[in-house]
Amino acid sequence: MERSAEYFNAAEIFGENVFNDSVMQERLPKKVYQKLKQTLKEGKELDLATADVIAHEMKEWAIEKGATHYAHWFQPMTGVTAEKHDAFITEPMENGRALMSFSGKELIKGEPDASSFPSGGLRATFEARGYTAWDCTSPAFVRQDAAGATLCIPTAFCSYTGETLDQKTPLLRSMEAVSKQALRLIRLFGNTTSKKVTASVGAEQEYFIVDREKYLKRKDLIFTGRTLFGAMPPKGQEMDDHYFGVIRERIAAYMRDVNKELWRLGVSAKTQHNEVAPAQHELAPIYASANIAADHNQLVMETLKKVAGRHGLQCLLHEKPFAGVNGSGKHNNWSITTDDGINLLDPGVTPHENIQFLLILTCMLKAVDIHADLLRESAADVGNDHRLGADEAPPAIISVFLGEQLQDVLMQLIRTGEATHSIKGSLLETGVKTLPDFMKDATDRNRTSPFAFTGNKFEFRMPGSQDSTAQPNIVLNTIAAEAFAEACDFLERAEDFELAVHDLIKKYATDHQRIVFNGNGYSEEWVEEAKRRGLPNINSMVDAIPSLNTEKSIKLFEMFGVFTKAELDSRVEIEYETYAKEINIEAKSMIDIAGKQIIPAVIRYTTMLAASITAVKAACDANVSVQTELLVEVSDLLADTRAAWSKLKEVTKRGSAMQEGRAQAVYYRDEVMAAMEALREPVDKLEMIVDKDMWPMPSYGDLIFEV
Ligand code: ADP
Ligand code: MG
């Protein structure tokens, strides 16, 4: 039987659009290839002659894939990627034919005008120059879409004066910091062979899929990515029947295309399933180095959106597109591994004997405890404010889940200074002869913890679904580097290493045990308990932002050359501005939708009711109490709506006239958001009463149950 053209061999297409190591090995002259490898290994700059050869081969390869343009692909602080396309075509030759060229200089350096990207006051608009520089640790790729094919070169983005204007540069700096300090630490335990330690990340991406026709009828989704109005349908997620449910055909066909696109780009999309909320799904790739994982996650988000359009669907990456059901996050799985394959977070079978692991683990407890505010901040974005602490989302309090086995080892350490045994996994008897009994893990999972140790990695569950993974990993890498450095400073000077390391582990475990919490993170009791323990509970982005440039934070980031004070200050500015701007757009969208769509629709409905009362009365003396009651109720709600609408207009106007900065952001959170909620209330009530045919937009039920 002939295989349908629709089926494809995943192994054959995987990475076919990536200028990866094997392509380079095949196409580059041996010497050039070796030079590049050497440069990568030593983290040095590439010389222009070598870059010229690489650029030429890259261009030839890209043209074979149909590429007409190249683009420096970068990640400014807008949360999404940016690119500027240039055609390969250069001056026409004498016979009028175009020459295709791409030089080493064009490969390694670009000069997009930086003045329109957020810089938080780092750069005045007249100093518009910005540079993009090739990050040769992340491979170039060809993206094929409606615009044709484009050779995309992952780049870092900085200002004329060298300050970072992007997410990639600090991420790369933090990776170097954690590598260096982790190496120092394992040297103390006799490791002489590992040369590098890589922070690896696996980012699980959650998203919603809705029908595109319906999406286009929702101005709130179009302008803000979330619904600003909408009453709960009769059914939500209470039956748990969507989670891991059979994937519907339309969605399955979409996922298949997403996977195909991603595989061709070398993104190892691996897991896919339905999530808890109706219309919610998840995609997880196989983990990769933190830098590549961040790039790949951007490609995942782009691809999810792009392919949805082809299927008449719309992908919603917002953290809380629908009130009342779960929001979307991006679980950030993080580990550190040596170049010779040792995962430093692997406890082994008997963790109590693994002193190196216990030191690393307690260093992490210390790091997370001391910098809980920074971790919380790294997950802050405007959309995530609706998620943290609500429904399935982790609470806004940072705590670490260790599980029974490690918790027990830790308690032994704290009590006696020594751990003598580890709880073992036991046999799980299925009770069915034909099913195998199997060894269960020594530790169950805890889905309510924001920062859970899951076997050989930490899973940070706070980050929002539309945010870059760069920020949380910059923080994780740097705080780990600091804790390792401090431990090494002490241990390198110790006379009796064995004794010193035991004391240090006990000290860290004791001093920072308050950050460990294995219970239900969603319970009210935990909020109280966390308060007693003195753990910060930062409920909104606006309150999280100041952690970025505290003295503690500046000292941390400057020490490891990740951010300067000026860069941190600029990021603080950008975040306040972003917050106010996004809420301003939401408020204006509500004003627009309520004013032009909802209020007129409700007036039409009341007119119809009034006409019906008159008509019925004229025809006979029948009972018109229902119409009358409805008319009164709807008219009252309409009056409430109009009053709330006017109030929202007024506060928004005041807010947008304010100077940008913290005070404006606080105003938007406290005044504008409150006015938005006040407008939503009567409107959602009206939606439950007004004739569905007259309601001007699809309902929650239409959107999440009919995809
Ligand atoms: P879950 O059961 O938590 O949903 P998934 O299998 O969906 O787990 O996702 C786990 C993610 O963690 C994947 O992206 C996976 O590649 C990643 N991961 C696995 N091991 C490691 C590791 N050592 N370091 C970083 N990420 C890892
Ligand atoms: Mg998960």
Side-chain angles (χ1 to χ4, degrees), residues 218 220 227-234 598 602 605 634 637 641 680-703:
R218 296 277 321 205
D220 45 3
T227 51
L228 300 168
F229 300 104
M232 269 305 279
I598 293 167
V602 178
Y605 181 62
V634 170
L637 285 169
T641 303
R680 180 170 181 155
E681 214 185 290
V683 170
D684 287 359
K685 283 188 190 145
L686 281 167
E687 189 190 345
M688 299 297 284
I689 307 172
V690 172
D691 182 347
K692 182 163 171 59
D693 289 339
M694 297 181 104
W695 196 252
M697 65 194 84
S699 67
Y700 268 30
D702 301 334
L703 285 163

Side-chain angles (χ1 to χ4, degrees), residues 347-395:
V349 195
T350 48
H352 69 281
E353 293 170 331
N354 191 342
I355 304 300
Q356 178 182 299
F357 170 76
L358 290 177
L359 178 61
I360 290 177
L361 181 76
T362 49
C363 276
M364 288 308 296
L365 293 182
K366 174 183 163 192
V368 174
D369 186 22
I370 291 179
H371 297 295
D373 59 338
L374 272 179
L375 271 175
R376 166 67 183 88
E377 202 291 324
S378 77
D381 73 17
V382 188
N384 224 9
D385 270 7
H386 299 284
R387 176 178 163 259
L388 293 181
D391 282 308
E392 200 222 21

